[in-house]
């Protein structure tokens, strides 16, 4: 049998506000027991946390796979002075 968590318990677990939990109650598979009484299955919360962890890993991989070279990612001032041989569009 699954345990059901209160709004406050969910907010504490996710480190979010109680109002955030109310706004995202469908995302968290909330069950309404009264006008302002909601409960959330612990398994649904665990599934949500697992999906967030997977999403973050995918985002990190995408960012790292863009692969900027060290020279192109450094600010222009740290590259040193460039002359017209390196950049034909620069005029002296």
């Amino acid at each position: 049998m699954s345990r059901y968590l209160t709004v406050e318990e969910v907010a504490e677990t996710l480190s979010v506000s109680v109002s955030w939990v109310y706004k995202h109650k469908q995302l968290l598979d909330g069950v309404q027991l009264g006008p302002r009484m909601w409960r959330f299955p612990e398994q649904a919360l665990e599934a949500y946390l697992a999906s967030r962890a997977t999403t973050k890993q995918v985002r990190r991989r995408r960012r790292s796979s863009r692969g900027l070279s060290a020279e192109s990612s450094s600010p222009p001032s740290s590259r040193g002075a460039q002359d017209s041989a390196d950049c034909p569009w620069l005029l002296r």
Side-chain angles (χ1 to χ4, degrees):
M1 179 180 234
S2 179
R3 179 174 171 234
Y4 283 79
L5 305 172
T6 65
V7 174
E8 291 79 15
E9 290 171 327
V10 172
E12 184 177 328
T13 302
L14 297 177
S15 299
V16 296
S17 67
V18 170
S19 62
W20 186 94
V21 176
Y22 280 115
K23 288 178 186 175
H24 296 87
K25 57 189 172 269
Q26 278 73 29
L27 176 66
L28 301 171
D29 293 333
V31 178
Q32 188 172 14
L33 303 176
R36 289 280 287 182
M37 185 184 287
W38 287 83
R39 296 293 183 266
F40 300 86
E42 191 172 36
Q43 291 174 340
L45 185 61
E46 290 170 2
Y48 172 75
L49 289 172
S51 73
R52 295 287 299 164
T54 304
T55 302
K56 286 182 181 180
Q57 289 174 355
V58 169
R59 286 182 189 159
R60 284 188 197 131
R61 276 191 229 128
R62 285 184 188 159
R63 286 181 187 154
S64 65
S65 68
R66 290 180 189 164
L68 295 175
S69 69
E71 184 178 321
S72 65
S73 63
S74 63
S77 61
S78 67
R79 290 187 199 164
Q82 295 183 356
D83 60 345
S84 60
D86 292 335
C87 301
W89 58 87
L90 286 177
L91 301 175
R92 291 185 183 197

